[in-house]
Amino acid sequence: MHSNNTIKFTILQTPVHDTKQANIEQLRRLMDCEAVKKADFVTLPEMWNCPYYSKAFPVFAEPEGGTSWQFCSDLAREYGVYLAAGSMPEIDGGHVYNTAYVFDRAGRQIAKHRKVHLFDIDVKGGQRFKESDT
Protein backbone atom coordinates (compact mmCIF):
# COMPACT_ATOMS: atom_id res chain seq x y z
CA MET A 1 0.00 0.00 0.00
CA HIS A 2 1.23 3.47 -0.81
CA SER A 3 2.05 5.98 1.92
CA ASN A 4 -1.13 7.98 1.32
CA ASN A 5 -3.26 4.92 2.13
CA THR A 6 -4.56 4.51 -1.40
CA ILE A 7 -4.69 1.31 -3.37
CA LYS A 8 -3.79 1.54 -7.04
CA PHE A 9 -5.60 -0.82 -9.39
CA THR A 10 -4.65 -1.77 -12.92
CA ILE A 11 -7.30 -3.51 -15.00
CA LEU A 12 -5.98 -5.31 -18.06
CA GLN A 13 -8.33 -5.96 -20.96
CA THR A 14 -6.49 -8.08 -23.48
CA PRO A 15 -7.20 -9.60 -26.88
CA VAL A 16 -7.20 -13.38 -26.72
CA HIS A 17 -5.11 -15.51 -29.05
CA ASP A 18 -5.74 -19.05 -30.25
CA THR A 19 -2.93 -20.59 -28.19
CA LYS A 20 -2.46 -20.57 -24.45
CA GLN A 21 1.24 -19.83 -24.85
CA ALA A 22 0.55 -16.69 -26.92
CA ASN A 23 -1.82 -15.46 -24.20
CA ILE A 24 0.75 -16.14 -21.50
CA GLU A 25 3.48 -14.34 -23.45
CA GLN A 26 1.18 -11.36 -24.06
CA LEU A 27 0.37 -11.12 -20.37
CA ARG A 28 4.08 -11.27 -19.49
CA ARG A 29 4.71 -8.26 -21.78
CA LEU A 30 1.76 -6.30 -20.36
CA MET A 31 2.97 -6.84 -16.80
CA ASP A 32 6.03 -4.75 -17.65
CA CYS A 33 3.99 -1.62 -18.40
CA GLU A 34 4.30 1.36 -16.03
CA ALA A 35 0.68 1.12 -14.84
CA VAL A 36 1.31 -2.38 -13.55
CA LYS A 37 4.63 -1.44 -11.97
CA LYS A 38 2.80 1.22 -9.92
CA ALA A 39 -0.17 -1.00 -9.04
CA ASP A 40 -1.05 -2.72 -5.80
CA PHE A 41 -3.79 -4.82 -7.40
CA VAL A 42 -3.98 -6.10 -10.99
CA THR A 43 -7.04 -7.70 -12.55
CA LEU A 44 -7.22 -9.83 -15.69
CA PRO A 45 -10.23 -10.41 -17.95
CA GLU A 46 -12.52 -13.42 -17.94
CA MET A 47 -10.99 -16.36 -19.82
CA TRP A 48 -7.79 -14.39 -20.45
CA ASN A 49 -5.92 -17.53 -21.58
CA CYS A 50 -8.63 -19.08 -23.76
CA PRO A 51 -10.81 -18.09 -26.72
CA TYR A 52 -14.29 -17.39 -25.37
CA TYR A 53 -16.35 -20.10 -26.96
CA SER A 54 -17.73 -23.22 -25.32
CA LYS A 55 -15.84 -25.75 -27.47
CA ALA A 56 -12.48 -24.18 -26.47
CA PHE A 57 -13.08 -24.41 -22.72
CA PRO A 58 -12.39 -28.17 -22.35
CA VAL A 59 -9.40 -27.95 -24.71
CA PHE A 60 -7.76 -25.15 -22.68
CA ALA A 61 -8.86 -26.42 -19.25
CA GLU A 62 -6.24 -27.15 -16.60
CA PRO A 63 -6.42 -28.42 -13.05
CA GLU A 64 -5.87 -25.97 -10.21
CA GLY A 65 -2.10 -25.58 -9.97
CA GLY A 66 -1.67 -26.03 -13.74
CA THR A 67 0.42 -23.96 -16.13
CA SER A 68 -1.78 -20.82 -16.17
CA TRP A 69 -2.41 -20.96 -12.41
CA GLN A 70 1.33 -21.27 -11.72
CA PHE A 71 2.10 -18.45 -14.16
CA CYS A 72 -0.33 -16.13 -12.34
CA SER A 73 1.06 -17.12 -8.95
CA ASP A 74 4.57 -16.36 -10.20
CA LEU A 75 3.49 -12.99 -11.64
CA ALA A 76 1.89 -11.91 -8.36
CA ARG A 77 5.07 -12.80 -6.46
CA GLU A 78 7.47 -11.34 -9.04
CA TYR A 79 5.63 -8.00 -9.31
CA GLY A 80 4.59 -7.85 -5.65
CA VAL A 81 0.92 -7.29 -6.48
CA TYR A 82 -2.40 -8.81 -5.60
CA LEU A 83 -3.55 -10.49 -8.79
CA ALA A 84 -7.19 -11.24 -9.57
CA ALA A 85 -6.48 -13.67 -12.37
CA GLY A 86 -9.70 -13.02 -14.28
CA SER A 87 -10.89 -16.51 -14.94
CA MET A 88 -9.65 -19.55 -16.77
CA PRO A 89 -11.14 -22.92 -17.65
CA GLU A 90 -10.50 -25.35 -14.81
CA ILE A 91 -10.89 -29.13 -15.09
CA ASP A 92 -11.83 -30.97 -11.91
CA GLY A 93 -13.39 -34.38 -11.59
CA GLY A 94 -14.17 -34.52 -15.31
CA HIS A 95 -16.07 -31.20 -15.19
CA VAL A 96 -14.99 -27.88 -16.68
CA TYR A 97 -15.47 -24.71 -14.63
CA ASN A 98 -15.02 -21.01 -15.38
CA THR A 99 -12.80 -20.34 -12.36
CA ALA A 100 -11.32 -17.14 -10.98
CA TYR A 101 -8.32 -17.18 -8.66
CA VAL A 102 -6.85 -14.39 -6.54
CA PHE A 103 -3.21 -14.39 -5.47
CA ASP A 104 -1.52 -12.28 -2.79
CA ARG A 105 1.79 -10.44 -3.15
CA ALA A 106 3.69 -13.62 -2.25
CA GLY A 107 1.94 -15.60 -5.00
CA ARG A 108 -0.27 -17.57 -2.60
CA GLN A 109 -3.81 -18.32 -3.75
CA ILE A 110 -6.10 -16.50 -1.33
CA ALA A 111 -9.44 -16.92 -3.12
CA LYS A 112 -11.16 -19.08 -5.70
CA HIS A 113 -14.56 -18.63 -7.34
CA ARG A 114 -16.31 -20.84 -9.86
CA LYS A 115 -18.83 -18.99 -11.99
CA VAL A 116 -22.32 -20.31 -11.28
CA HIS A 117 -24.47 -17.93 -13.35
CA LEU A 118 -23.66 -19.15 -16.84
CA PHE A 119 -24.16 -16.95 -19.88
CA ASP A 120 -26.76 -18.52 -22.14
CA ILE A 121 -28.32 -16.65 -25.04
CA ASP A 122 -30.42 -18.01 -27.86
CA VAL A 123 -32.04 -15.28 -29.96
CA LYS A 124 -34.37 -16.60 -32.66
CA GLY A 125 -32.64 -15.92 -35.96
CA GLY A 126 -29.69 -14.37 -34.11
CA GLN A 127 -26.88 -15.13 -31.75
CA ARG A 128 -26.65 -18.40 -29.84
CA PHE A 129 -24.10 -19.01 -27.10
CA LYS A 130 -24.55 -21.42 -24.23
CA GLU A 131 -21.91 -21.67 -21.53
CA SER A 132 -24.11 -24.32 -19.96
CA ASP A 133 -23.29 -26.66 -22.87
CA THR A 134 -19.86 -27.02 -21.28
Side-chain angles (χ1 to χ4, degrees):
M1 190 169 302
H2 296 282
S3 60
N4 61 2
N5 293 326
T6 61
I7 297 174
K8 293 192 178 202
F9 286 83
T10 295
I11 301 169
L12 298 176
Q13 187 65 27
T14 60
V16 177
H17 303 284
D18 289 333
T19 69
K20 191 180 302 180
Q21 189 58 38
N23 293 313
I24 286 173
E25 290 169 6
Q26 171 181 251
L27 182 53
R28 163 62 70 198
R29 288 188 304 274
L30 289 171
M31 290 297 289
D32 283 327
C33 76
E34 283 304 310
V36 172
K37 290 178 181 179
K38 295 177 181 178
D40 298 294
F41 201 107
V42 176
T43 64
L44 306 180
E46 183 175 20
M47 293 294 185
W48 66 269
N49 70 339
C50 174
Y52 203 97
Y53 53 92
S54 297
K55 290 181 181 179
F57 300 156
V59 175
F60 281 71
E62 305 172 6
E64 183 175 320
T67 302
S68 297
W69 182 100
Q70 187 61 59
F71 177 70
C72 289
S73 171
D74 292 346
L75 286 178
R77 184 179 62 256
E78 179 181 341
Y79 289 87
V81 296
Y82 287 91
L83 180 67
S87 70
M88 57 188 87
E90 175 199 12
I91 186 98
D92 184 22
H95 299 283
V96 176
Y97 300 94
N98 184 343
T99 303
Y101 301 101
V102 179
F103 300 92
D104 69 9
R105 293 177 190 266
R108 294 178 298 239
Q109 179 184 315
I110 57 172
K112 174 181 178 176
H113 173 75
R114 288 178 172 166
K115 185 175 181 181
V116 295
H117 298 290
L118 301 178
F119 179 67
D120 286 354
I121 185 171
D122 192 358
V123 178
K124 187 175 181 177
Q127 184 180 11
R128 181 176 193 280
F129 184 87
K130 296 189 66 98
E131 283 184 334
S132 61
D133 285 347
T134 308

